[in-house]
Amino acid sequence: MPRKVARPWPPGAAQVLTCAREGGRGSSHARASQEVADFTSVTMSSIIKERLELQMAELEMLFSMFPDKGEITLQDENNFLNAQKYLNNTSENLPHIIEYSVAVTIDEPKARINLQVALPHDYPQVPPHLFARSSAVDRQQQLQLNKDLASYIASLEPGELCVCAAVQWLRDNSISYLENSKLHCENVPRESAVKTLFSRMWIYSHHIYRQELRKKIFDCAKKLNLTGFCLTGKPGIICVEGVKENCEEFWHVIRYPNWKHISCKHVENRETDGNGDNLRLFQTFEDLQFQAHGDYGLRNDYHMDLGQFLEFLKGHQSEHVFQILFGIEGKCSDN
C-alpha cells in the first residue's frame, strides 16, 4: 500500500521565514507579508498534491485488483483527468473530489455489493465517504452493514489509506448480512413478498445552477430508474419517484459531500403490486426550465416563474405540493 512521503519545503522557504521574522518598515512590511502568504499558499498546494497523489495511487491499486470492465466505475472521468493535470502542473485549478464505485463480488452466497466512494481533498488525513448497497440485502441489513463498516474505518490508524481495507472488510464480513437478509425474506408471507413500496420525494434547494451538479442529479436518477424532474434556477426543485429504496439512495447521494441549503420537503409513499410503474406521474426525468422574472443579463442569479411551475404541477396532478414547497397557496393564471 502506498505510503506518504514527506516533501521538502519549496525553494526559498527559509529566506521567506527569515524576512518575516526580521520585519521592516513601509514596503518591506508589505513585501514580507506577501512572501509569507505566497509561502503558505505553496505549502498548502504541496500538501493537497501529496494527498491527491496518494488517492490516485490507491485508485491505481484498485484498478489492478479489479481489472474487469464494470468492476470500478468513475463517477465523472473528467474529474480523474483534471486531477492528473493538477498533479502534472498543467492546471492550477483544484480538481473536484474523486468519486467512484467498486463492485465487490461475494462468492457464497452469490451476491454483489456496490461500494460507493467519495474522497475529500484531505483524504487520507480525514476518512472517505463510503456507502455500500446491494439488491441482495434488505434495508435493515444494509443500514447495519454501513454502520459496522463505518465503525471499522474509524478503528483504523488515522491518516492511512483505507478504501482497499474497506473492500477487503466487505469480502470478509458480508456473508452474515446476506444470510440474515435471506432468512428475513423467507419469513415474510408470500402475499406481502410481492408488494412494492412506491415513493415520490419532493426536494427544495435555494438554487440549482452548476452544470456538474445537474449532471450528477440526472446521472443518479437514470441509474436508479427514477422519473420526475429537476427545476433549474432559483429556487431549485427536484422531484423523484420510483421504488422507495432507490429514492432514498438518490437523496443520500446528491446531498454528499457538501450540498448545503437543501431539504426534503415532502414524501409520498404507497404500497402497490409489481414495480409501481402505474403510479408514476412522470414518464421520464425532465430538465425543467421556465422563463425567469426580469432581465438579469448574464448574471447567474435568476428567479424561476413560479406561476408557470404551478401550471406544470397542475398538469401532473401535483398542485397540492406548491403550498408544501413554498408555504403559500398557488393560484393558476386564467388563460
Side-chain angles (χ1 to χ4, degrees):
M1 184 174 292
R3 299 183 63 86
K4 296 187 291 185
V5 178
R7 292 175 174 268
W9 284 2
Q15 292 88 330
V16 172
L17 292 177
T18 300
C19 179
R21 293 192 191 101
E22 292 177 352
R25 294 184 177 180
S27 62
S28 62
H29 271 302
R31 185 168 59 255
S33 299
Q34 183 60 45
E35 289 174 341
V36 170
D38 293 342
F39 168 68
T40 302
S41 176
V42 170
T43 302
M44 290 302 297
S45 176
S46 177
I47 292 174
I48 292 175
K49 285 185 176 181
E50 177 182 335
R51 292 170 181 169
L52 188 56
E53 284 177 347
L54 290 172
Q55 296 179 21
M56 298 288 278
E58 184 177 42
L59 183 54
E60 290 294 337
M61 180 180 295
L62 286 167
F63 273 120
S64 67
M65 295 168 57
F66 298 89
D68 294 339
K69 184 178 180 180
E71 288 187 309
I72 295 183
T73 304
L74 295 173
Q75 184 76 18
D76 190 336
E77 293 188 5
N78 287 331
N79 292 342
F80 181 78
L81 297 175
N82 291 337
Q84 291 180 323
K85 292 178 181 179
Y86 185 73
L87 291 176
N88 294 333
N89 296 318
T90 56
S91 173
E92 296 182 355
N93 297 324
L94 182 65
H96 189 63
I97 65 171
I98 298 175
E99 298 178 84
Y100 56 91
S101 62
V102 183
V104 183
T105 300
I106 309 300
D107 293 330
E108 187 61 38
K110 195 71 174 178
R112 172 172 286 194
I113 296 179
N114 192 51
L115 179 64
Q116 297 173 336
V117 181
L119 304 179
H121 287 127
D122 287 336
Y123 172 76
Q125 197 60 36
V126 300
H129 299 293
L130 304 177
F131 186 77
R133 65 181 296 270
S134 172
S135 59
V137 181
D138 61 45
R139 175 170 171 74
Q140 181 178 356
Q141 290 299 315
Q142 180 170 284
L143 291 174
Q144 188 62 48
L145 172 65
N146 280 285
K147 180 179 178 181
D148 294 343
L149 174 60
S151 297
Y152 169 71
I153 296 300
S155 70
L156 299 177
E157 189 72 22
E160 294 294 330
L161 296 168
C162 60
V163 177
C164 289
V167 169
Q168 189 59 47
W169 185 90
L170 287 174
R171 283 175 166 170
D172 296 339
N173 296 276
S174 296
I175 295 177
S176 62
Y177 304 95
L178 293 166
E179 290 179 341
N180 289 337
S181 181
K182 181 179 179 181
L183 291 174
H184 172 77
C185 293
E186 289 177 348
N187 291 330
V188 174
R190 184 177 300 273
E191 293 78 10
S192 62
V194 297
K195 294 289 186 180
T196 298
L197 195 58
F198 185 86
S199 183
R200 185 174 299 109
M201 186 175 289
W202 299 89
I203 301 169
Y204 179 95
S205 175
H206 179 266
H207 62 269
I208 300 176
Y209 295 128
R210 292 189 294 119
Q211 288 294 331
E212 63 180 39
L213 180 57
R214 295 176 60 208
K215 181 178 185 302
K216 183 176 183 179
I217 292 170
F218 279 84
D219 288 348
C220 188
K222 180 179 179 181
K223 177 182 177 182
L224 296 172
N225 191 31
L226 300 175
T227 53
F229 65 85
C230 174
L231 174 63
T232 303
K234 184 177 183 180
I237 307 295
I238 304 171
C239 173
V240 288
E241 57 179 7
V243 177
K244 183 174 185 291
E245 289 78 6
N246 290 353
C247 289
E248 290 176 344
E249 181 178 346
F250 175 89
W251 175 235
H252 173 85
V253 170
I254 65 167
R255 277 188 301 165
Y256 290 98
N258 54 7
W259 191 349
K260 301 178 181 178
H261 309 301
I262 182 174
S263 61
C264 182
K265 288 282 190 178
H266 183 55
V267 178
E268 302 167 358
N269 292 321
R270 182 174 174 182
E271 193 176 68
T272 181
D273 296 327
N275 55 19
D277 284 348
N278 59 312
L279 298 178
R280 293 183 187 269
L281 298 179
F282 307 91
Q283 300 303 313
T284 62
F285 192 81
E286 302 181 44
D287 183 8
L288 203 58
Q289 298 186 36
F290 296 121
Q291 183 177 2
H293 282 300
D295 182 8
Y296 290 85
L298 298 179
R299 286 181 53 195
N300 195 22
D301 185 21
Y302 46 88
H303 293 257
M304 287 295 101
D305 188 330
L306 296 183
Q308 294 183 22
F309 180 52
L310 178 58
E311 294 282 357
F312 173 81
L313 292 178
K314 185 177 180 181
H316 289 82
Q317 305 171 33
S318 301
E319 184 178 0
H320 65 284
V321 180
F322 190 90
Q323 186 170 7
I324 296 174
L325 292 173
F326 304 108
I328 57 174
E329 183 177 356
K331 294 183 179 180
C332 296
S333 59
D334 296 330
N335 293 326

